[in-house]
Amino acid sequence: MGSELDVGYAWVVAIASWTATLIYLVVTTSGIYYPYLIDYYEESAAKVGFALALIPTLKFLFGVFIAIIAKAYGCRIVTILGSFMVMSGCLLMAYSTSITAVFLACSLIGIGICVNYFVAYFTLDVYFKKYFTLVISIKAAINGAALMMAPYVNRMFVINFGWQHSYLLLSAISYHLVLCGVIYRAPKISSNEESEELSLLVVEQENNSPQPDLQITPADEKWCPSWLRYIYEICHLRLFKSNAFVVLAFVSLLHGAVEEGVDMIIPDDMLERGATLRASQLILTVYGAGSIIGRPVHYLFSKLVSNDLFIHLATIYFLAFLALLICITTTDGDPVYLTMVLFGFSVGWFSAIQPLIVKSVVDDFFFGFAWVDLLYGVGAFIGIIFLGYLRDQVGNFWLSEFLLLCLAMINSVLLFGFVVYRRMKKIC
């Protein structure tokens, strides 16, 4: 039997993964709808932000749970069910009459997108060994193009059809995620190849019933009851024994608050600075353009400066710090464009190297990536709500942006410090 790894059908799966990336980024561009929802439901910015925060939060928060379920039942069926959840959430959003319905709709969209987001990465990890970096880089480039295109597409929908009908269109677009899920199947491998990840895509059937492929081995430690050891094993908490992974997880926690916070508040902040509605909505397109520019930088930086991915991360957050510093030290709208280009550049760079750095510091990409993004979701959830609260208390977004500036500075200092610590440890 010929192998499908890195060749043939693997590239069909890669195209499906890239297509899913484009679709879920269009569906999850919530910043465009933020001011419309505030006006329509006549609710506070904090409450509407809380509802919309459920989408990016749940997109990452259930990563570990999705990993366990996909390992037990296969990625194809899980992806198809998740895609129908996205469609249902968009339909409910279009016909919602209360903020409570918006909370439920955002929850459905967030969980459905979570499934598609993680499976889009995991299938690439299964199908590609030799060309993994290449397909991840292409996915990062498509991610950047989608970030630039998604605000424009959503803005066009809102202007031409209204925000409620826009969600009907998003529901139709999200149906194509079902087709992507159908393409995901276990690869054929030659007899001399082994793949531990195959259980993510296919499930062994015994007596016509699915059997979760979860092998729980007793831990050597005796400091906890058996049920805690079970959770320790099934959730792969052993990954946190690595100092590098702990640092990466903490950085991801703050990164969630910073990235999703900027995406949520900057369009509304542009309106408060006197910009037109069109300009405030196009600012996210500028952000996406900066993200595209930043994605190939990791290759040049590795060749010309350093191939240490933690130095990459530290530099990324220094650039994010400078971008937010420009934003809070100006009062008109024009400098915000420079802020968003520079911040988008740093986010694009981060998105390109995140899968690579996870793969370099842990031996289980599936659960390592899930844990990192889970903490990203926690940071996004807490951050967006708190930023909306500060906006309601102060009356403008200056204090919210100052908080984002501080979080970016903390990440930059922490990462540079960790790089120095590792080098000193090697010397000693």
Side-chain angles (χ1 to χ4, degrees), residues 114-134:
C114 176
V115 174
N116 286 276
Y117 172 78
F118 283 101
V119 172
Y121 275 104
F122 302 150
T123 50
L124 296 182
D125 185 48
V126 171
Y127 268 92
F128 291 92
K129 303 304 175 186
K130 182 179 179 181
Y131 299 116
F132 178 77
T133 301
L134 173 63

Side-chain angles (χ1 to χ4, degrees), residues 39-40 56 73 96 117-118 127 193 231 284 286 343 360 369 378 393 418:
D39 293 338
Y40 183 82
Y73 297 100
S96 61
Y117 172 78
F118 283 101
Y127 268 92
E193 287 179 319
I231 293 176
L284 293 179
V286 174
F343 187 80
S360 69
F369 193 77
V378 172
Q393 294 298 314
F418 183 68

Side-chain angles (χ1 to χ4, degrees), residues 163-236:
W163 73 266
Q164 290 173 307
H165 289 163
S166 296
Y167 274 103
L168 290 177
L169 293 173
L170 293 179
S171 177
I173 292 173
S174 61
Y175 169 74
H176 295 82
L177 292 172
V178 176
L179 304 180
C180 295
V182 172
I183 293 174
Y184 300 148
R185 65 165 172 78
K188 298 175 182 178
I189 59 174
S190 57
S191 56
N192 60 344
E193 287 179 319
E194 294 182 358
S195 177
E196 295 180 355
E197 297 93 339
L198 291 183
S199 59
L200 303 181
L201 297 178
V202 68
V203 181
E204 294 290 340
Q205 298 286 334
E206 183 176 348
N207 296 328
N208 296 321
S209 61
Q211 298 296 326
D213 183 19
L214 300 172
Q215 298 180 359
I216 310 302
T217 57
D220 293 331
E221 295 88 346
K222 298 182 179 180
W223 44 267
C224 62
S226 59
W227 64 273
L228 283 180
R229 291 201 301 269
Y230 182 87
I231 293 176
Y232 178 85
E233 293 290 339
I234 198 173
C235 295
H236 289 63

Side-chain angles (χ1 to χ4, degrees), residues 109-389:
I109 294 172
I111 296 174
I113 291 296
C114 176
V115 174
N116 286 276
Y117 172 78
F118 283 101
V119 172
Y121 275 104
F122 302 150
T123 50
L124 296 182
D125 185 48
V126 171
Y127 268 92
F128 291 92
K129 303 304 175 186
K130 182 179 179 181
Y131 299 116
F132 178 77
T133 301
L134 173 63
V135 294
I136 285 294
S137 298
I138 295 174
K139 179 176 170 61
I142 292 174
N143 189 289
L147 283 175
M148 183 178 68
M149 183 182 71
Y152 178 79
V153 171
N154 280 275
R155 174 183 167 274
M156 181 182 66
F157 286 168
V158 170
I159 290 176
N160 292 316
F161 306 106
W163 73 266
Q164 290 173 307
H165 289 163
S166 296
Y167 274 103
L168 290 177
L169 293 173
L170 293 179
S171 177
I173 292 173
S174 61
Y175 169 74
H176 295 82
L177 292 172
V178 176
L179 304 180
C180 295
V182 172
I183 293 174
Y184 300 148
R185 65 165 172 78
K188 298 175 182 178
I189 59 174
S190 57
S191 56
N192 60 344
E193 287 179 319
E194 294 182 358
S195 177
E196 295 180 355
E197 297 93 339
L198 291 183
S199 59
L200 303 181
L201 297 178
V202 68
V203 181
E204 294 290 340
Q205 298 286 334
E206 183 176 348
N207 296 328
N208 296 321
S209 61
Q211 298 296 326
D213 183 19
L214 300 172
Q215 298 180 359
I216 310 302
T217 57
D220 293 331
E221 295 88 346
K222 298 182 179 180
W223 44 267
C224 62
S226 59
W227 64 273
L228 283 180
R229 291 201 301 269
Y230 182 87
I231 293 176
Y232 178 85
E233 293 290 339
I234 198 173
C235 295
H236 289 63
L237 293 175
R238 59 180 175 77
L239 299 176
F240 288 92
K241 290 183 177 180
S242 167
N243 291 335
F245 185 72
V246 171
V247 171
L248 180 62
F250 181 78
V251 166
S252 185
L253 177 70
L254 299 189
H255 181 74
V258 174
E259 182 177 347
E260 298 298 336
V262 168
D263 182 51
M264 186 65 67
I265 70 174
I266 289 299
D268 210 14
D269 184 40
M270 284 286 288
L271 291 175
E272 293 189 355
R273 292 171 184 248
T276 64
L277 179 62
R278 180 176 182 273
S280 69
Q281 293 173 339
L282 286 178
I283 194 70
L284 293 179
T285 301
V286 174
Y287 167 73
S291 177
I292 292 179
I293 299 172
R295 289 169 194 273
V297 170
H298 75 280
Y299 178 79
L300 297 176
F301 195 87
S302 297
K303 294 294 183 182
L304 301 177
V305 182
S306 173
N307 59 0
D308 187 337
L309 293 177
F310 279 97
I311 294 180
H312 287 232
L313 284 180
T315 307
I316 285 168
Y317 272 97
F318 180 70
L319 293 176
F321 170 80
L322 293 179
L324 292 166
L325 185 63
I326 294 172
C327 189
I328 68 169
T329 54
T330 57
T331 56
D332 55 340
D334 291 339
V336 180
Y337 286 98
L338 177 60
T339 293
M340 293 303 281
V341 170
L342 191 57
F343 187 80
F345 178 87
S346 65
V347 169
W349 191 355
F350 177 87
S351 299
I353 69 170
Q354 184 193 24
L356 303 179
I357 196 169
V358 170
K359 201 170 182 69
S360 69
V361 299
V362 297
D363 58 356
D364 190 322
F365 177 79
F366 199 157
F367 280 90
F369 193 77
W371 273 113
V372 167
D373 274 350
L374 182 151
L375 292 169
Y376 176 100
V378 172
F381 180 72
I382 298 174
I384 291 176
I385 295 173
F386 191 62
L387 293 173
Y389 171 77

